[in-house]
Amino acid sequence: MIESILDALLEPALLLDGAGRVVIANASARERLGVWVIGRSYVSVLRQPALLSPVEDAYAKNDDGVARFIHSSGEVETPFEVRVTPMSGGDGTRHVLLVFRDLSEVHAGESMRRDFVANVSHELKTPLTAISGFIETLQGPARDDADARTRFLGMMAQEAARMNRLVGDLLSLSRLEGQSRKRPTDMVDLIEVVTETLRTLQPGAEVEGVEIVSDLPDRAGVLADRDQIVQVLTNLIENAVKYGHQPGRIALTLKHVAREPVIRGPAWRLIIRDDGVGIAPEHIPRLTERFYRVDTGRSRAQGGTGLGLAIVKHIVNRHRGRMRIESVPGQGTTVSITLPAA
Ligand SMILES: Nc1ncnc2c1ncn2[C@@H]1O[C@H](COP(=O)(O)OP(=O)(O)OP(=O)(O)O)[C@@H](O)[C@H]1O
Ligand SMILES: [Mg+2]
């Protein structure tokens, strides 16, 4: 009975008998710690003093306890928090129950949050420092210089716009995280959205000498959040312009896929190809991480925050779609987004 209760726990659990031997290792403990522990004395199983002493206290004083335990198997070290609970065994002796909670995800989450806060602070501090510098100059040396005033105000406006974009992107991300389980339900025609977005972005691309050539079918219905699809298209096209060749050409294609295996049904695939610097293979898996940029200097000089593809990935996931980035360094990059057809 107690054996099947312990097997139902997701966490590894060990029950020690009155003599300090492991009498039960539940399914999770057998898998994560190994079957060899059954029948062994806890001293030879646990070995780490931090955990041995609460177990001794449980036997000697009937005390509850908590301790850290690092389990190593080969190269991998897993940190656990172990709860130690004394209980009376049926035979009149004292038994001790050990339940192990895996802390690796908690630790990874903590370090991700720390990195995130550090990144956000850094990205905000850079324009803020610049703005403070301009204010000081305008209050001091450049107080009566009309030309300098105009120039500095222009640069201050640019830095403020960058901060505004960063905060806007952060809000988008946090909203998206809240919606990740809610699938969009509006019927949206991708052709209309693509055409409309191109109308907005084309003039800017032309200024950079970039021609956008599109090949679209007549109609492409998807269940989507229209504004979010605009956000996806805008970032991908902006990236193709920024990191593409200037002057150059971007090809935008929309294709019907009769059966997309991962989506398990018909889909629409949007393909954006540029002829730019490309991306070395080791960077590709990391591009959708927040703030990840291959060439930070180049991205920042163009007003980038490195949040664009992180937002794209969240939106595509929310739409139950797939994103794929392929690139040949020196020749160009192809990004495809596949969305389930409605
Ligand atoms: N088409 C592309 N060609 C080459 N590199 C690219 C391309 N698209 C993205 N990258 C690389 O991926 C990085 C991350 O892109 P992402 O869109 O997330 O950020 P960003 O464009 O730098 O800034 P933001 O989108 O926030 O303005 C870029 O900094 C760039 O190094
Ligand atoms: Mg971008």
Side-chain angles (χ1 to χ4, degrees):
M1 169 67 178
I2 184 161
E3 205 149 356
S4 34
I5 293 175
L6 292 181
D7 274 346
L9 291 179
L10 293 177
E11 295 111 337
L14 300 178
L15 185 68
L16 310 177
D17 68 6
R21 257 189 295 273
V22 176
V23 276
I24 301 176
N26 73 350
S28 172
R30 293 195 298 273
E31 184 192 319
R32 311 242 356 224
L33 309 174
V35 266
W36 66 274
V37 301
I38 299 165
R40 299 286 184 110
S41 135
Y42 75 86
V43 181
S44 69
V45 171
L46 306 174
R47 278 201 230 122
Q48 295 168 21
L51 182 52
L52 291 177
S53 80
V55 177
E56 282 156 17
D57 289 349
Y59 276 116
K61 304 186 232 158
N62 205 25
D63 280 351
D64 286 344
V66 180
R68 291 296 169 96
F69 175 74
I70 310 282
H71 178 251
S72 341
S73 104
E75 299 276 281
V76 190
E77 292 206 327
T78 315
F80 284 103
E81 181 186 79
V82 185
R83 250 174 309 126
V84 181
T85 315
M87 44 184 64
S88 58
D91 54 2
T93 63
R94 189 168 290 155
H95 284 31
V96 173
L97 178 67
L98 306 175
V99 181
F100 295 67
R101 183 162 82 105
D102 187 342
L103 295 178
S104 30
E105 272 184 24
V106 180
H107 284 182
E110 276 166 10
S111 105
M112 234 163 79
R113 261 190 301 280
R114 261 197 310 274
D115 287 355
F116 181 67
V117 172
N119 275 321
V120 171
S121 317
H122 178 75
E123 293 297 330
L124 281 172
K125 191 149 176 41
T126 312
L128 202 53
T129 307
I131 292 176
S132 309
F134 292 135
I135 292 175
E136 252 172 54
T137 316
L138 286 175
Q139 284 171 331
R143 187 197 302 268
D144 303 313
D145 182 341
D147 283 349
R149 195 158 53 225
T150 313
R151 209 171 61 242
F152 285 158
L153 283 173
M155 293 193 271
M156 287 165 75
Q158 223 170 38
E159 297 297 337
R162 170 204 288 285
M163 289 174 72
N164 216 344
R165 266 182 35 123
L166 176 63
V167 173
D169 283 352
L170 289 171
L171 287 173
S172 278
L173 268 175
S174 98
R175 241 193 326 267
L176 276 162
E177 275 174 350
Q179 298 175 328
S180 67
R181 282 165 209 287
K182 270 188 273 153
R183 277 187 84 159
T185 50
D186 291 347
M187 182 58 131
V188 170
D189 181 14
L190 281 179
I191 310 304
E192 182 270 326
V193 187
V194 170
T195 316
E196 189 55 37
T197 311
L198 280 179
R199 216 197 314 278
T200 329
L201 296 179
Q202 216 129 25
E206 271 165 28
V207 172
E208 307 289 344
V210 177
E211 184 191 5
I212 307 177
V213 190
S214 55
D215 180 8
L216 309 172
D218 294 331
R219 219 158 212 307
V222 288
L223 291 180
D225 179 317
R226 188 180 182 283
D227 291 345
Q228 293 184 351
I229 300 296
V230 171
Q231 234 178 327
V232 166
L233 281 166
T234 305
N235 182 57
L236 295 181
I237 296 171
E238 273 177 3
N239 281 355
V241 173
K242 278 197 286 190
Y243 309 110
H245 206 265
Q246 296 172 352
R249 166 192 274 245
I250 297 169
L252 190 154
T253 320
L254 187 60
K255 273 201 252 184
H256 187 254
V257 184
R259 204 190 124 71
E260 167 65 40
V262 256
I263 286 173
R264 296 205 197 97
W268 287 106
R269 180 166 303 145
L270 180 79
I271 304 159
I272 297 175
R273 201 180 65 228
D274 67 60
D275 52 2
V277 287
I279 307 162
E282 67 268 25
H283 295 294
I284 292 183
R286 304 198 53 192
L287 295 179
T288 53
E289 288 174 23
R290 294 153 185 213
F291 298 110
Y292 191 83
R293 293 172 281 205
V294 177
D295 179 346
T296 311
R298 178 172 179 168
S299 160
R300 207 178 265 144
Q302 281 162 313
T305 57
L307 290 175
L309 287 175
I311 294 174
V312 168
K313 188 186 170 192
H314 267 92
I315 294 177
V316 171
N317 284 349
R318 179 182 177 218
H319 286 75
R320 305 298 185 270
R322 289 288 178 279
M323 167 159 72
R324 205 185 148 92
I325 302 174
E326 288 159 304
S327 183
V328 181
Q331 291 186 27
T333 303
T334 304
V335 182
S336 8
I337 301 285
T338 309
L339 298 174

Short mmCIF file of all heavy atoms in Angstrom, two decimals, residues 66-114:
data_model
loop_
_atom_site.label_atom_id
_atom_site.label_comp_id
_atom_site.label_asym_id
_atom_site.label_seq_id
_atom_site.Cartn_x
_atom_site.Cartn_y
_atom_site.Cartn_z
N VAL A 66 15.15 19.61 6.73
CA VAL A 66 15.29 19.87 5.29
C VAL A 66 16.77 20.03 5.01
O VAL A 66 17.48 20.62 5.82
CB VAL A 66 14.58 21.19 4.87
CG1 VAL A 66 14.76 21.44 3.37
CG2 VAL A 66 13.11 21.14 5.20
N ALA A 67 17.25 19.46 3.88
CA ALA A 67 18.67 19.61 3.58
C ALA A 67 18.88 19.59 2.07
O ALA A 67 18.03 19.12 1.32
CB ALA A 67 19.47 18.49 4.23
N ARG A 68 20.02 20.12 1.66
CA ARG A 68 20.39 20.08 0.25
C ARG A 68 21.17 18.81 -0.03
O ARG A 68 21.92 18.34 0.83
CB ARG A 68 21.29 21.27 -0.11
CG ARG A 68 20.60 22.60 -0.08
CD ARG A 68 19.52 22.64 -1.14
NE ARG A 68 18.65 23.80 -0.99
CZ ARG A 68 18.81 24.93 -1.65
NH1 ARG A 68 19.81 25.07 -2.47
NH2 ARG A 68 17.97 25.93 -1.48
N PHE A 69 20.97 18.28 -1.23
CA PHE A 69 21.67 17.07 -1.62
C PHE A 69 22.01 17.19 -3.10
O PHE A 69 21.15 17.56 -3.90
CB PHE A 69 20.76 15.86 -1.37
CG PHE A 69 21.32 14.54 -1.84
CD1 PHE A 69 22.35 13.93 -1.15
CD2 PHE A 69 20.81 13.92 -2.98
CE1 PHE A 69 22.87 12.71 -1.58
CE2 PHE A 69 21.32 12.70 -3.41
CZ PHE A 69 22.36 12.10 -2.71
N ILE A 70 23.27 16.97 -3.45
CA ILE A 70 23.65 17.02 -4.87
C ILE A 70 23.83 15.60 -5.36
O ILE A 70 24.64 14.84 -4.82
CB ILE A 70 25.00 17.76 -5.07
CG1 ILE A 70 25.03 19.11 -4.36
CG2 ILE A 70 25.33 17.89 -6.56
CD1 ILE A 70 24.31 20.21 -5.07
N HIS A 71 23.06 15.23 -6.36
CA HIS A 71 23.20 13.89 -6.91
C HIS A 71 24.03 13.97 -8.19
O HIS A 71 23.70 14.74 -9.10
CB HIS A 71 21.82 13.30 -7.23
CG HIS A 71 21.90 11.95 -7.84
ND1 HIS A 71 21.59 11.72 -9.16
CD2 HIS A 71 22.29 10.75 -7.33
CE1 HIS A 71 21.77 10.43 -9.43
NE2 HIS A 71 22.19 9.83 -8.34
N SER A 72 25.14 13.19 -8.25
CA SER A 72 25.91 13.21 -9.50
C SER A 72 25.79 11.88 -10.20
O SER A 72 25.88 10.83 -9.58
CB SER A 72 27.40 13.46 -9.24
OG SER A 72 27.61 14.01 -7.98
N SER A 73 25.53 11.97 -11.50
CA SER A 73 25.57 10.74 -12.29
C SER A 73 26.29 11.10 -13.56
O SER A 73 25.83 11.92 -14.36
CB SER A 73 24.16 10.20 -12.52
OG SER A 73 23.71 10.46 -13.81
N GLY A 74 27.48 10.56 -13.73
CA GLY A 74 28.33 10.92 -14.86
C GLY A 74 28.69 12.39 -14.77
O GLY A 74 29.18 12.86 -13.77
N GLU A 75 28.38 13.13 -15.86
CA GLU A 75 28.72 14.54 -15.95
C GLU A 75 27.68 15.42 -15.25
O GLU A 75 27.94 16.57 -14.95
CB GLU A 75 28.77 14.97 -17.42
CG GLU A 75 29.81 14.25 -18.25
CD GLU A 75 31.19 14.90 -18.11
OE1 GLU A 75 31.40 15.93 -18.76
OE2 GLU A 75 32.00 14.39 -17.33
N VAL A 76 26.47 14.86 -15.07
CA VAL A 76 25.34 15.68 -14.65
C VAL A 76 25.22 15.74 -13.13
O VAL A 76 25.20 14.71 -12.46
CB VAL A 76 24.01 15.12 -15.23
CG1 VAL A 76 22.88 16.12 -15.01
CG2 VAL A 76 24.19 14.80 -16.70
N GLU A 77 25.12 16.95 -12.59
CA GLU A 77 24.89 17.13 -11.16
C GLU A 77 23.51 17.72 -10.97
O GLU A 77 23.18 18.76 -11.56
CB GLU A 77 25.93 18.08 -10.57
CG GLU A 77 27.32 17.50 -10.56
CD GLU A 77 28.18 18.10 -9.46
OE1 GLU A 77 27.98 19.28 -9.15
OE2 GLU A 77 29.03 17.37 -8.91
N THR A 78 22.67 17.06 -10.18
CA THR A 78 21.34 17.58 -9.94
C THR A 78 21.21 18.02 -8.49
O THR A 78 21.43 17.22 -7.59
CB THR A 78 20.28 16.49 -10.22
OG1 THR A 78 20.62 15.85 -11.45
CG2 THR A 78 18.88 17.06 -10.30
N PRO A 79 20.85 19.29 -8.24
CA PRO A 79 20.62 19.73 -6.86
C PRO A 79 19.21 19.33 -6.41
O PRO A 79 18.24 19.51 -7.15
CB PRO A 79 20.74 21.25 -6.96
CG PRO A 79 20.39 21.59 -8.37
CD PRO A 79 20.70 20.38 -9.21
N PHE A 80 19.13 18.77 -5.22
CA PHE A 80 17.82 18.43 -4.65
C PHE A 80 17.65 19.10 -3.30
O PHE A 80 18.63 19.33 -2.59
CB PHE A 80 17.72 16.91 -4.42
CG PHE A 80 17.50 16.10 -5.66
CD1 PHE A 80 18.55 15.39 -6.23
CD2 PHE A 80 16.24 16.02 -6.23
CE1 PHE A 80 18.34 14.62 -7.38
CE2 PHE A 80 16.02 15.25 -7.36
CZ PHE A 80 17.08 14.55 -7.94
N GLU A 81 16.38 19.39 -2.96
CA GLU A 81 16.08 19.76 -1.58
C GLU A 81 15.36 18.54 -1.00
O GLU A 81 14.40 18.05 -1.61
CB GLU A 81 15.15 20.98 -1.57
CG GLU A 81 14.78 21.45 -0.20
CD GLU A 81 13.75 22.56 -0.28
OE1 GLU A 81 12.56 22.23 -0.48
OE2 GLU A 81 14.13 23.72 -0.16
N VAL A 82 15.85 18.05 0.12
CA VAL A 82 15.30 16.80 0.65
C VAL A 82 14.56 17.08 1.95
O VAL A 82 15.10 17.71 2.87
CB VAL A 82 16.43 15.78 0.91
CG1 VAL A 82 15.85 14.44 1.34
CG2 VAL A 82 17.30 15.61 -0.32
N ARG A 83 13.29 16.64 2.00
CA ARG A 83 12.52 16.77 3.24
C ARG A 83 12.66 15.46 4.03
O ARG A 83 12.45 14.37 3.50
CB ARG A 83 11.06 17.04 2.94
CG ARG A 83 10.66 18.47 3.32
CD ARG A 83 9.25 18.79 2.90
NE ARG A 83 9.01 18.48 1.50
CZ ARG A 83 8.03 17.70 1.08
NH1 ARG A 83 7.19 17.14 1.92
NH2 ARG A 83 7.88 17.47 -0.21
N VAL A 84 13.02 15.58 5.30
CA VAL A 84 13.25 14.41 6.14
C VAL A 84 12.15 14.34 7.19
O VAL A 84 11.97 15.27 7.97
CB VAL A 84 14.62 14.55 6.85
CG1 VAL A 84 14.91 13.32 7.71
CG2 VAL A 84 15.75 14.78 5.83
N THR A 85 11.36 13.25 7.15
CA THR A 85 10.23 13.16 8.09
C THR A 85 10.27 11.84 8.84
O THR A 85 10.19 10.77 8.23
CB THR A 85 8.89 13.22 7.28
OG1 THR A 85 8.99 14.26 6.33
CG2 THR A 85 7.70 13.46 8.20
N PRO A 86 10.40 11.89 10.18
CA PRO A 86 10.36 10.64 10.96
C PRO A 86 8.93 10.14 11.05
O PRO A 86 7.99 10.93 11.07
CB PRO A 86 10.88 11.07 12.33
CG PRO A 86 10.67 12.55 12.40
CD PRO A 86 10.61 13.08 11.01
N MET A 87 8.74 8.83 11.09
CA MET A 87 7.39 8.28 11.28
C MET A 87 7.52 6.94 11.99
O MET A 87 8.59 6.32 11.96
CB MET A 87 6.67 8.13 9.94
CG MET A 87 7.50 7.55 8.83
SD MET A 87 6.57 7.52 7.30
CE MET A 87 6.32 9.26 7.00
N SER A 88 6.40 6.50 12.64
CA SER A 88 6.53 5.24 13.36
C SER A 88 6.28 4.10 12.39
O SER A 88 5.29 4.09 11.68
CB SER A 88 5.55 5.20 14.52
OG SER A 88 4.25 5.36 14.02
N GLY A 89 7.22 3.14 12.36
CA GLY A 89 7.05 1.97 11.52
C GLY A 89 6.09 1.02 12.23
O GLY A 89 5.90 1.10 13.44
N GLY A 90 5.45 0.11 11.52
CA GLY A 90 4.49 -0.81 12.11
C GLY A 90 5.11 -1.70 13.19
O GLY A 90 4.44 -2.16 14.12
N ASP A 91 6.44 -1.88 13.10
CA ASP A 91 7.11 -2.83 13.99
C ASP A 91 7.62 -2.20 15.29
O ASP A 91 8.45 -2.78 15.98
CB ASP A 91 8.30 -3.45 13.24
CG ASP A 91 9.23 -2.38 12.67
OD1 ASP A 91 8.97 -1.17 12.90
OD2 ASP A 91 10.22 -2.73 11.98
N GLY A 92 7.12 -0.99 15.60
CA GLY A 92 7.55 -0.35 16.84
C GLY A 92 8.84 0.41 16.73
O GLY A 92 9.23 1.13 17.66
N THR A 93 9.55 0.31 15.59
CA THR A 93 10.77 1.11 15.42
C THR A 93 10.42 2.40 14.70
O THR A 93 9.32 2.55 14.18
CB THR A 93 11.83 0.36 14.59
OG1 THR A 93 11.28 0.15 13.29
CG2 THR A 93 12.20 -0.95 15.22
N ARG A 94 11.40 3.32 14.67
CA ARG A 94 11.17 4.58 13.96
C ARG A 94 11.65 4.45 12.52
O ARG A 94 12.76 4.00 12.27
CB ARG A 94 11.91 5.70 14.69
CG ARG A 94 11.55 7.06 14.15
CD ARG A 94 12.06 8.15 15.04
NE ARG A 94 11.34 8.19 16.31
CZ ARG A 94 11.85 8.69 17.44
NH1 ARG A 94 13.09 9.14 17.46
NH2 ARG A 94 11.13 8.73 18.53
N HIS A 95 10.79 4.86 11.58
CA HIS A 95 11.16 4.90 10.16
C HIS A 95 11.40 6.36 9.78
O HIS A 95 10.94 7.27 10.48
CB HIS A 95 10.04 4.32 9.28
CG HIS A 95 9.99 2.82 9.34
ND1 HIS A 95 10.35 2.10 10.44
CD2 HIS A 95 9.59 1.91 8.40
CE1 HIS A 95 10.19 0.81 10.19
NE2 HIS A 95 9.73 0.66 8.96
N VAL A 96 12.08 6.57 8.66
CA VAL A 96 12.31 7.95 8.20
C VAL A 96 12.01 8.01 6.70
O VAL A 96 12.45 7.15 5.93
CB VAL A 96 13.76 8.41 8.47
CG1 VAL A 96 14.03 9.77 7.83
CG2 VAL A 96 14.02 8.48 9.98
N LEU A 97 11.20 9.04 6.32
CA LEU A 97 10.85 9.22 4.91
C LEU A 97 11.66 10.39 4.34
O LEU A 97 11.73 11.47 4.93
CB LEU A 97 9.36 9.52 4.78
CG LEU A 97 8.86 9.79 3.36
CD1 LEU A 97 8.95 8.54 2.49
CD2 LEU A 97 7.43 10.34 3.38
N LEU A 98 12.28 10.15 3.19
CA LEU A 98 13.03 11.22 2.50
C LEU A 98 12.35 11.51 1.17
O LEU A 98 12.14 10.60 0.37
CB LEU A 98 14.47 10.77 2.21
CG LEU A 98 15.30 10.27 3.39
CD1 LEU A 98 16.66 9.77 2.89
CD2 LEU A 98 15.50 11.39 4.40
N VAL A 99 11.96 12.78 0.96
CA VAL A 99 11.37 13.16 -0.32
C VAL A 99 12.26 14.21 -0.98
O VAL A 99 12.62 15.20 -0.37
CB VAL A 99 9.93 13.71 -0.14
CG1 VAL A 99 9.33 14.08 -1.49
CG2 VAL A 99 9.06 12.69 0.57
N PHE A 100 12.65 13.94 -2.22
CA PHE A 100 13.63 14.77 -2.94
C PHE A 100 12.92 15.71 -3.92
O PHE A 100 12.19 15.23 -4.79
CB PHE A 100 14.59 13.90 -3.76
CG PHE A 100 15.47 13.02 -2.92
CD1 PHE A 100 14.93 11.97 -2.19
CD2 PHE A 100 16.83 13.23 -2.89
CE1 PHE A 100 15.74 11.14 -1.42
CE2 PHE A 100 17.66 12.41 -2.13
CZ PHE A 100 17.11 11.37 -1.39
N ARG A 101 13.17 17.01 -3.80
CA ARG A 101 12.63 17.94 -4.79
C ARG A 101 13.76 18.45 -5.68
O ARG A 101 14.75 18.98 -5.19
CB ARG A 101 11.96 19.14 -4.09
CG ARG A 101 11.31 20.10 -5.08
CD ARG A 101 10.31 21.01 -4.39
NE ARG A 101 10.96 22.13 -3.76
CZ ARG A 101 10.93 23.37 -4.25
NH1 ARG A 101 10.27 23.63 -5.34
NH2 ARG A 101 11.55 24.35 -3.61
N ASP A 102 13.58 18.26 -7.00
CA ASP A 102 14.61 18.67 -7.97
C ASP A 102 14.63 20.19 -8.08
O ASP A 102 13.63 20.81 -8.42
CB ASP A 102 14.27 18.05 -9.33
CG ASP A 102 15.37 18.28 -10.35
OD1 ASP A 102 16.20 19.17 -10.12
OD2 ASP A 102 15.37 17.57 -11.37
N LEU A 103 15.77 20.78 -7.77
CA LEU A 103 15.86 22.25 -7.79
C LEU A 103 16.45 22.79 -9.09
O LEU A 103 16.56 24.00 -9.26
CB LEU A 103 16.74 22.76 -6.64
CG LEU A 103 16.20 22.51 -5.22
CD1 LEU A 103 17.21 23.03 -4.21
CD2 LEU A 103 14.86 23.21 -5.03
N SER A 104 16.79 21.91 -10.06
CA SER A 104 17.51 22.45 -11.23
C SER A 104 16.67 23.45 -12.01
O SER A 104 17.18 24.45 -12.46
CB SER A 104 18.07 21.36 -12.13
OG SER A 104 17.31 20.21 -12.09
N GLU A 105 15.34 23.18 -12.14
CA GLU A 105 14.51 24.13 -12.89
C GLU A 105 14.36 25.44 -12.14
O GLU A 105 14.37 26.52 -12.73
CB GLU A 105 13.14 23.54 -13.19
CG GLU A 105 13.18 22.76 -14.48
CD GLU A 105 11.82 22.25 -14.89
OE1 GLU A 105 10.81 22.82 -14.45
OE2 GLU A 105 11.80 21.26 -15.62
N VAL A 106 14.22 25.33 -10.80
CA VAL A 106 14.12 26.54 -9.99
C VAL A 106 15.38 27.39 -10.16
O VAL A 106 15.31 28.60 -10.39
CB VAL A 106 13.94 26.17 -8.51
CG1 VAL A 106 13.82 27.40 -7.64
CG2 VAL A 106 12.73 25.26 -8.33
N HIS A 107 16.54 26.71 -10.10
CA HIS A 107 17.80 27.43 -10.26
C HIS A 107 17.91 28.08 -11.64
O HIS A 107 18.31 29.24 -11.77
CB HIS A 107 18.99 26.49 -10.07
CG HIS A 107 19.22 26.16 -8.63
ND1 HIS A 107 20.25 25.37 -8.20
CD2 HIS A 107 18.55 26.53 -7.51
CE1 HIS A 107 20.20 25.25 -6.87
NE2 HIS A 107 19.17 25.95 -6.45
N ALA A 108 17.53 27.31 -12.70
CA ALA A 108 17.61 27.85 -14.06
C ALA A 108 16.70 29.06 -14.20
O ALA A 108 17.06 30.08 -14.79
CB ALA A 108 17.24 26.79 -15.08
N GLY A 109 15.50 28.98 -13.62
CA GLY A 109 14.55 30.09 -13.67
C GLY A 109 15.10 31.32 -12.98
O GLY A 109 15.03 32.43 -13.51
N GLU A 110 15.72 31.10 -11.81
CA GLU A 110 16.29 32.23 -11.07
C GLU A 110 17.39 32.91 -11.88
O GLU A 110 17.44 34.13 -11.96
CB GLU A 110 16.88 31.76 -9.74
CG GLU A 110 15.85 31.65 -8.64
CD GLU A 110 16.36 30.88 -7.43
OE1 GLU A 110 17.57 30.60 -7.36
OE2 GLU A 110 15.53 30.55 -6.58
N SER A 111 18.26 32.09 -12.50
CA SER A 111 19.38 32.71 -13.20
C SER A 111 18.87 33.41 -14.46
O SER A 111 19.41 34.43 -14.86
CB SER A 111 20.49 31.70 -13.46
OG SER A 111 20.52 31.31 -14.79
N MET A 112 17.79 32.87 -15.09
CA MET A 112 17.22 33.54 -16.25
C MET A 112 16.63 34.90 -15.86
O MET A 112 16.80 35.88 -16.57
CB MET A 112 16.12 32.68 -16.88
CG MET A 112 16.35 32.43 -18.35
SD MET A 112 15.34 31.06 -18.91
CE MET A 112 13.77 31.87 -19.10
N ARG A 113 15.95 34.93 -14.71
CA ARG A 113 15.36 36.19 -14.25
C ARG A 113 16.45 37.22 -13.96
O ARG A 113 16.33 38.38 -14.32
CB ARG A 113 14.50 35.96 -12.99
CG ARG A 113 13.02 35.85 -13.29
CD ARG A 113 12.22 35.89 -12.01
NE ARG A 113 12.58 34.82 -11.09
CZ ARG A 113 12.16 33.59 -11.19
NH1 ARG A 113 11.37 33.25 -12.17
NH2 ARG A 113 12.53 32.68 -10.32
N ARG A 114 17.53 36.74 -13.32
CA ARG A 114 18.63 37.66 -13.01
C ARG A 114 19.22 38.25 -14.29
O ARG A 114 19.41 39.45 -14.40
CB ARG A 114 19.73 36.92 -12.24
CG ARG A 114 19.68 37.13 -10.74
CD ARG A 114 21.01 36.73 -10.10
NE ARG A 114 21.49 35.43 -10.50
CZ ARG A 114 21.13 34.29 -9.90
NH1 ARG A 114 20.29 34.30 -8.89
NH2 ARG A 114 21.61 33.14 -10.32
#
